[in-house]
Amino acid sequence: MEMRKPIAVSEAIQRVIDRVQPLGSEKIALAEAYGRILAEPIIAKHDVPPFDKSPYDGFAIRSEDSLGASGENRIAFTVIDHIGAGQLAKRSLAKSEAIRIMTGAPIPDNADAVVMLEQTVETETGFTLRKPFIANENISAQGEDAKKGEELIQSGTFIHPGTIALLATFGYAEVIVAKKPIVGILSTGTELLDVQEELVPGKIRNSNGPMIAAQLARMGLDSKSYGMLADDLDACTATVKQALRETDVLITTGGVSVGDFDYLPAIYERLGADVLFNKVAMRPGSVTTVALADKQFLFGLSGNPSACFTGFELFARPVLLKMMESEKVYLPYAKAVLGEDFKKANPFTRFIRAIYESTPAGATVRPAGFNKSGAVSSIARGNAIIVLPGGTRGYETGTEVDVLLLCMEEGDATWVL
Amino acid sequence: MEMRKPIAVSEAIQRVIDRVQPLGSEKIALAEAYGRILAEPIIAKHDVPPFDKSPYDGFAIRSEDSLGASGENRIAFTVIDHIGAGQLAKRSLAKSEAIRIMTGAPIPDNADAVVMLEQTVETETGFTLRKPFIANENISAQGEDAKKGEELIQSGTFIHPGTIALLATFGYAEVIVAKKPIVGILSTGTELLDVQEELVPGKIRNSNGPMIAAQLARMGLDSKSYGMLADDLDACTATVKQALRETDVLITTGGVSVGDFDYLPAIYERLGADVLFNKVAMRPGSVTTVALADKQFLFGLSGNPSACFTGFELFARPVLLKMMESEKVYLPYAKAVLGEDFKKANPFTRFIRAIYESTPAGATVRPAGFNKSGAVSSIARGNAIIVLPGGTRGYETGTEVDVLLLCMEEGDATWVL
């Protein structure tokens, strides 16, 4: 029997990350850009705001005209115009003139302060005020938010709704983003049935294929399914070769261990692929294998659902994000207090499907139930992964542990503030 | 001038949540189900695993045949068959017979233990072993992960990749999910230009419309744009009426304050809408207004980008999720240590665009820069919102504060474990 030498998880991650080649960029419409990775920096094309504007509903005045105003000496202004946002004043101010101005409207030419409505008392021709104003009081200054030419967001940033707002502000009707990798999925295993098939003795339905497609969908990526194949070396080799012609990355499930029908190692050999590792010091998923055929990544994930899931998130996800030159390729991290004992010893780093909760009382995490590598119910119940370092003897309730967060797109059940 | 009475944020949220009506459900293909909300519980349609199976590569034996084995008394077995996952043994075992069995294969009829490959020494006709095995040793028992009939996941749960795996396991080729609300977006304001238009004096490009479309996209929801309208009561009323015929929810931006061109309050009156609130004790976004026209929600968000963003996440997001009967409608919460001083007093609850980082050294958060309600650059830079309670006088570096997380779909820049 082949003996494989396990490497540390961090070393395995480094090995795959080091070999990533960027995919290049493309130009798309702004409306399609949410969730893509910027392949250009956002440079301020003009000042923001682009002109001095009023942050309040009120009256634009020349501050000098308010000098000496007090409760005993209210100063009167005559209103000569009335502008809302998007409108320009028809002329500039003479002494003791004012222009009624609404939030967002540009400050008229020689005005330099805005009196808020509630600071005035109305008169027949305008208003009076009881305090002096200084130059630039209550004015949102041109460029106070961003200066023309400033690099505001760097290339490699995930485009979220705030990024979209900034792109729209500067008139990016189109934006240059990283190309998305085309990812193939091939599920191997003689035991596999398709989702609509009836169970028969000895067989189970393929859950890994649909799960990986959803893990890709969560990243905004499409996938190309190569279906399911029985454990047959020639048939699998042919399909893998075809997939390598049609995709940027191929993810297979099953067939990576050292069993008699585990043909992926032989396929890597036939392809002359460079196997980066085939044993990782982790549970589940120690047989996870990553290879490069020419420059194309082949992820050989375990056929066990829990191991398969973890292998994808630990190795495939960062590679796919790095291919898009993302700056943030790893799962979000949190610390949390263990809500129940986990007594198993951990010769290898252990990844446990878990339920994470964060409230003002603190963050807690507990195993999501049955946690063998073949488990599927806990994958569905969990929203996080507890990571327990190798070489430890089990953990007790109350210990602070490391957590990787999976389902943060979901949210919280209660409003805690 | 109209005086509005502000209500607390939590009260405002409660008022909108209390009025939500569910939209109903529809059946979709499993491949389309990622990100939808389950409208049926997932019940185990069969045991998982559906049969006793081998968790290892090894040999299936009758444990009784291994009785008395030791280093000095190795017991020999004859291998009579060889099965992989998905294959059935051709016959049951007689005394001292074994079947070579691979991970995932069903345990042969009268076998009750699996000897791992590494526990054996090969012989010409089989192997010998040096220790006795007990009944059920190294067997993944039928139903150990889930029992037939068990409710595993409740209705109202977000469908993530693990949920997909479970649905596939039980043969849900189609799944019943909540219908998605149709959301209209109308941006109002005479100052607005479309994204591809050149800047002209006094005008700015519409960033709120594209931003809200992206906020909806992040929730997996499509939007229907009603474009931009100048501040014109009749034109806006007509468009709002049309939108109410064509959508489940209408989000408008701008026009909700008490300025001379703020027509939304008048439109709500013309529609006979029930205004749930028009002033919230929060900064930014205190003029955020929510109304119900018959049963349809009208979200009147501020025209200021930062206020608009916050208003959407605080009020529209939970309503849209509750319409889909989601169990988790609020933004994910975290505590974090303030990384820099925030000296402004907070008469109202303050929502500050911020950059959140979580590492093994702890979670920190700091304002994302320029933080007036009209700010747009900090919306793009931030990945979280700091929430500072009203009635406080500013906070110093090192204080623990409440944070709402926005961009957790993005991830971390470093592998910290």
Side-chain angles (χ1 to χ4, degrees), chain A residues 353-373:
Chain A
R353 295 299 296 212
I355 297 165
Y356 169 85
E357 280 183 300
S358 174
T359 74
T364 58
V365 69
R366 59 195 162 83
F370 186 73
N371 250 301
K372 286 196 191 170
S373 67

Side-chain angles (χ1 to χ4, degrees), chain A residues 143-155:
Chain A
E144 70 176 6
D145 190 358
K147 293 257 181 277
K148 181 177 179 176
E150 208 181 326
E151 178 175 323
L152 297 171
I153 302 291
Q154 64 190 16
S155 186

Side-chain angles (χ1 to χ4, degrees), chain B residues 264-395:
Chain B
L264 264 295
I267 293 170
Y268 298 137
E269 210 172 299
R270 285 186 176 188
L271 295 172
D274 182 5
V275 175
L276 303 186
F277 55 80
N278 59 17
K279 185 92 175 172
V280 186
M282 61 188 262
R283 288 269 185 279
S286 66
V287 296
T288 306
T289 300
V290 182
L292 275 168
D294 196 8
K295 287 169 185 171
Q296 278 174 281
F297 273 92
L298 291 149
F299 291 93
L301 305 183
S302 164
N304 274 324
S306 185
C308 178
F309 184 97
T310 307
F312 177 93
E313 296 293 333
L314 288 184
F315 305 114
R317 184 179 191 276
V319 162
L320 294 166
L321 286 168
K322 185 99 189 288
M323 287 172 81
M324 297 187 282
E325 297 185 81
S326 163
E327 294 290 317
K328 295 189 171 178
V329 305
Y330 301 110
L331 286 175
Y333 169 91
K335 289 171 85 163
V337 168
L338 200 55
E340 59 186 62
D341 291 354
F342 187 85
K343 290 295 196 186
K344 281 191 206 170
N346 306 299
F348 283 177
T349 304
R350 194 181 285 275
F351 293 85
I352 304 153
R353 293 301 296 212
I355 296 166
Y356 169 86
E357 280 184 299
S358 175
T359 73
T364 59
V365 70
R366 60 196 162 83
F370 186 73
N371 251 302
K372 287 198 191 170
S373 67
V376 65
S377 67
S378 61
I379 311 182
R381 266 192 293 264
N383 64 358
I385 299 176
I386 299 171
V387 187
L388 301 180
T392 53
R393 298 189 59 78
Y395 285 79

Side-chain angles (χ1 to χ4, degrees), chain A residues 114-181:
Chain A
V114 170
V115 182
M116 294 160 75
L117 283 184
E118 48 271 47
Q119 295 173 316
T120 65
V121 171
E122 221 179 321
T123 65
E124 212 155 293
T125 55
F127 61 89
T128 62
L129 51 78
R130 52 176 285 169
K131 83 167 203 74
F133 283 73
I134 57 170
N136 301 317
E137 193 165 349
N138 293 338
I139 285 182
S140 286
Q142 176 175 337
E144 70 176 6
D145 190 358
K147 293 257 181 277
K148 181 177 179 176
E150 208 181 326
E151 178 175 323
L152 297 171
I153 302 291
Q154 64 190 16
S155 186
T157 301
F158 182 91
I159 298 177
H160 62 70
T163 326
I164 297 278
L166 197 60
L167 288 164
T169 295
F170 293 123
Y172 286 80
E174 292 183 310
V175 53
I176 300 171
V177 300
K179 276 189 190 158
K180 289 182 184 185

